[in-house]
Amino acid sequence: MTDKSPSPGAQSPLELPAWQALLVHSRQIKDIHLRRLFSEDPARGTRFAVEGCGIYLDYSKNRVTTETLRLLLALAAECRLSERVEAMFRGERINTTEKRAVLHVALRSRRGNSIMLDGANVVPWVHEVLERMEAFAQRIRSGRWKGYTGKPIRNVINIGIGGSDLGPVMAFEALRHYSLRDLTFRFVSNVDATDLTEALRELKPDETLFIVSSKTFTTLETMTNARSARAWALQALGDERAIARHFVAVSTNAQEVAAFGIDTANMFGFWDWVGGRYSMNSAIGLSTLLAVGPENFRSLLAGFRAMDEHYRTAPLEKNLPVLLGLLSIWYNNFLGAQTLAILPYDQYLKRFPAYLQQLMMESNGKGVTLDGNPVDYDTSPVVWGEPGTNGQHSFYQLLHQGTKLVPCDFIGFCQPLNPLGNHHPILVANLFAQSEALAFGKTREEVKEEGTEAWLAPHRTFEGNRPSNTILAERLTPETLGKLVALYEHSVLTQGVIWNINSFDQWGVELGKALAQRIVPDLQSAGEPRLRHDSSTSALITRYRSQSRRKPDASEF
Ligand code: F6P
């Protein structure tokens, strides 16, 4: 044993020449206005834009100059970004704290490719599971798979949480247009019984299939929900043998799956080199495959693969995930932004911001470097967002006139999936208008010229200079979704490399989980427990114990 860190222990980014130069540069251009940048360079709108595998990224409405980009790209080079990206694709154990490779890219690798890990090619394993998933999906979708009473499956419930839920639910919503409408899909994640209760409402157990999705198969929320779902099914079907027809598992842990009572013949596996938040195109995507069918699922994978190729091969200055990641670094570390807003102008992408919250914040919300030293710079921004146009009537006020700098990613499509009257041009006009208003604002003079009284003019003035990216694609297809998700996955790695952190572990979720396990008996014990918590937690437990045992009056119902 050695207590030496297995990580390379690279230099702090603060010491790099490009970081230092960016600090100086940021002071020089911090007051420069986008109005000026655009008027000085009439071609800026297309010069600061790049297209990669059908995804167009307009980053012209960012507070950057050619010099900013030069320095950001120099920073990427000084951090040896390309080497670190290659290390991931080669299957090196870049998740050092868990001593694991990071190979979600293998999940979308073409059959016949070779990605070696410990002397074995993992690509054939991926395709073997994919084929089993497809065969299973065909049986469910065609009605050939029968439930215990001989009826076909009509409802599919994915039980999982975090990466075992957010990917599946986001992809289902995003690709709902392509889904088989004969099947109902529901997603249960919260240990709050309301989630499962509402999901089961009006469903017939003999027509319902549960997919228990958990990488570890030990997660408290998922196992609690799975056990309750099992009891619900058993109560109605009355026979243990029914479970095999109504429960399948997605996991890396065959032992726990068997212990739960699911036949491992009905288990779809994946591997420890797939992180939870990077797992939506592993077997964790089974619900997606059931919903959209094998062909669309393969298109989704092809989209991921196209962006992987682009990330690996495009020069840094034309590389979408690299540019997106570097721009985020610019605002986060040099212009003081604390958050990033994700604003998809497509109702099908309504869960995309929630999905990206886990992807970005669980990956890069880290406080120590790869070699365990505290970081002395900011890491992940807080990620949040809502679909447009709804957000416009809610929080955009702050984006336009508030005191916070909030970089925004607008996402839109040129073709609608549900053409109806002039809805789509109105939707897209709003997207373009918002980024235009944020960037250019409206001066006090312009407001006055419109005839606004002097006292009201400050309230109606928009200072502008508020940055945004616009990500535009032709149409929201499975392939496009794959490209978009991979774009953000790789932008996360880009940022993690610059910050010299491990983007692939999540030790920060452990403490709360462990403390909850200690508190459960304190809440449930019949006798008064001896509480050994701080005074706040103990008082809360005591109050809960007394109020949870109080019988409500009939009048309170
Ligand atoms: O709580 C964090 C986490 O470990 C995530 O990283 C993961 O996606 C989620 O829990 C679910 O874990 P599992 O798939 O093992 O149930």
Side-chain angles (χ1 to χ4, degrees):
M1 278 289 280
T2 163
D3 66 354
K4 268 201 154 172
S5 142
S7 69
Q11 200 176 8
S12 161
L14 296 188
E15 292 160 19
L16 296 171
W19 188 286
Q20 289 303 321
L22 278 160
L23 274 179
V24 175
H25 174 71
S26 64
R27 277 180 228 122
Q28 286 162 351
I29 72 154
K30 75 176 175 10
D31 294 326
I32 204 163
H33 200 290
L34 280 164
R35 279 196 288 261
R36 185 173 135 200
L37 292 175
F38 272 85
S39 71
E40 284 175 0
D41 177 4
R44 183 178 169 93
T46 47
R47 240 170 33 83
F48 287 73
V50 55
E51 182 165 4
C53 52
I55 304 284
Y56 184 75
L57 169 65
D58 172 358
Y59 59 98
S60 63
K61 294 191 184 91
N62 281 293
R63 284 153 67 164
V64 294
T65 62
T66 311
E67 177 64 0
T68 322
L69 285 170
R70 191 186 69 73
L71 292 172
L72 286 169
L73 292 165
L75 179 64
E78 287 172 16
C79 292
R80 308 200 325 264
L81 174 64
S82 306
E83 260 175 65
R84 300 284 300 283
V85 170
E86 271 311 299
M88 177 180 75
F89 277 94
R90 270 200 312 269
E92 283 178 29
R93 289 187 155 69
I94 62 167
N95 177 357
T96 49
T97 61
E98 296 180 311
K99 300 186 179 146
R100 288 177 182 164
V102 174
L103 275 178
H104 45 277
V105 291
L107 299 170
R108 49 260 195 166
S109 185
R110 271 206 185 81
R111 181 200 301 283
N113 277 0
S114 170
I115 299 179
M116 302 300 288
L117 185 64
D118 296 333
N121 182 7
V122 301
V123 178
W125 306 348
V126 167
H127 283 269
E128 189 192 308
V129 175
L130 184 57
E131 274 161 29
R132 283 187 55 230
M133 287 163 64
E134 288 178 343
F136 178 70
Q138 301 280 31
R139 290 176 71 194
I140 297 283
R141 287 165 61 87
S142 65
R144 275 185 289 122
W145 174 285
K146 300 283 190 272
Y148 187 62
T149 62
K151 290 194 192 154
I153 296 298
R154 300 220 166 282
N155 318 302
V156 177
I157 302 193
N158 186 77
I159 298 179
I161 198 164
S164 301
D165 167 70
L166 287 163
V169 71
M170 180 280 287
F172 173 72
E173 292 298 347
L175 301 179
R176 189 187 270 268
H177 180 77
Y178 303 88
S179 70
L180 183 64
R181 304 292 177 150
D182 301 348
L183 289 173
T184 298
F185 286 84
R186 293 183 183 169
F187 298 83
V188 174
S189 53
N190 200 335
V191 75
D192 182 345
T194 299
D195 207 5
L196 182 67
T197 307
E198 289 293 341
L200 296 181
R201 199 171 281 273
E202 289 141 22
L203 296 191
K204 296 189 177 133
D206 61 345
E207 296 179 345
T208 301
L209 176 79
F210 293 93
I211 305 174
V212 185
S213 297
S214 174
K215 182 175 168 181
T216 54
F217 229 72
T218 56
T219 303
L220 180 66
E221 293 91 333
T222 300
M223 298 327 296
T224 306
N225 278 322
R227 276 190 288 271
S228 298
R230 195 173 185 281
W232 176 81
L234 256 186
Q235 198 195 17
L237 300 171
D239 188 339
E240 283 282 342
R241 284 173 302 174
I243 297 303
R245 308 304 303 164
H246 295 275
F247 280 77
V248 298
V250 175
S251 187
T252 58
N253 191 343
Q255 214 175 334
E256 287 293 334
V257 169
F260 179 83
I262 295 179
D263 187 346
T264 47
N266 295 335
M267 166 179 162
F268 300 88
F270 60 114
W271 308 272
D272 71 359
W273 37 264
V274 181
R277 53 195 176 274
Y278 297 88
S279 67
M280 63 171 274
N281 39 34
S282 70
I284 290 289
L286 184 61
S287 57
T288 317
L289 179 42
L290 285 169
V292 303
E295 208 175 307
N296 283 319
F297 195 77
R298 293 248 174 192
S299 301
L300 176 73
L301 297 180
F304 274 95
R305 191 164 56 238
M307 189 55 80
D308 294 346
E309 270 309 300
H310 170 82
Y311 186 48
R312 202 174 182 180
T313 58
L316 296 188
E317 68 280 8
K318 296 207 166 98
N319 194 308
L320 274 75
V322 170
L323 290 169
L324 210 57
L326 291 175
L327 287 164
S328 176
I329 298 271
W330 172 241
Y331 291 114
N332 200 61
N333 296 102
F334 299 97
L335 295 191
Q338 291 293 316
T339 80
L340 167 68
I342 304 290
L343 307 168
Y345 276 63
D346 190 301
Q347 192 59 21
Y348 284 126
L349 289 183
K350 66 180 179 188
R351 297 305 304 273
F352 199 54
Y355 174 80
L356 291 187
Q357 281 180 327
Q358 187 199 13
L359 181 66
M360 296 185 181
M361 295 203 275
E362 202 173 71
S363 296
N364 284 341
K366 305 289 163 65
V368 293
T369 60
L370 278 167
D371 42 8
N373 293 314
V375 295
D376 40 11
Y377 40 87
D378 271 330
T379 57
S380 177
V382 175
V383 179
W384 59 288
E386 276 290 320
T389 58
N390 295 8
Q392 291 176 202
H393 298 272
S394 161
F395 54 80
Y396 278 37
Q397 163 65 40
L398 179 149
L399 301 185
H400 286 287
Q401 290 187 316
T403 55
K404 307 272 189 296
L405 174 66
V406 183
C408 301
D409 281 1
F410 290 97
I411 302 171
F413 301 93
C414 298
Q415 294 176 14
L417 291 177
N418 296 296
L420 179 65
N422 57 355
H423 285 239
H424 195 64
I426 292 175
L427 174 73
V428 176
N430 272 277
L431 185 170
F432 295 166
Q434 290 300 324
S435 69
E436 191 174 26
L438 285 167
F440 302 105
K442 196 178 199 183
T443 62
R444 185 82 62 98
E445 291 63 44
E446 285 168 334
V447 172
K448 282 195 192 140
E449 271 165 30
E450 287 174 351
T452 303
E453 292 173 58
W455 67 270
L456 190 54
H459 300 273
R460 303 194 65 168
T461 298
F462 294 73
E463 68 180 17
N465 212 19
R466 293 171 185 236
S468 66
N469 290 308
T470 300
I471 297 167
L472 201 59
E474 191 170 288
R475 193 176 166 86
L476 178 54
T477 61
E479 199 173 337
T480 311
L481 181 69
K483 291 173 188 173
L484 281 177
V485 175
L487 167 63
Y488 280 100
E489 283 180 350
H490 298 321
S491 138
V492 163
L493 174 62
T494 302
Q495 293 170 67
V497 168
I498 307 280
W499 290 322
N500 191 26
I501 56 176
N502 184 354
S503 302
F504 303 104
D505 61 9
Q506 56 286 316
W507 298 105
V509 301
E510 297 298 328
L511 179 59
K513 285 186 195 173
L515 292 182
Q517 296 279 18
R518 268 183 57 200
I519 293 175
V520 170
D522 290 342
L523 299 182
Q524 286 191 311
S525 73
E528 262 333 293
R530 253 190 80 207
L531 297 176
R532 293 165 196 275
H533 304 274
D534 61 275
S535 58
S536 158
T537 310
S538 294
L540 291 168
I541 291 171
T542 306
R543 190 172 178 83
Y544 171 88
R545 286 182 63 86
S546 108
Q547 292 211 344
S548 65
R549 283 164 173 72
R550 193 178 72 81
K551 295 260 174 306
D553 297 336
S555 62
E556 291 177 48
F557 284 107

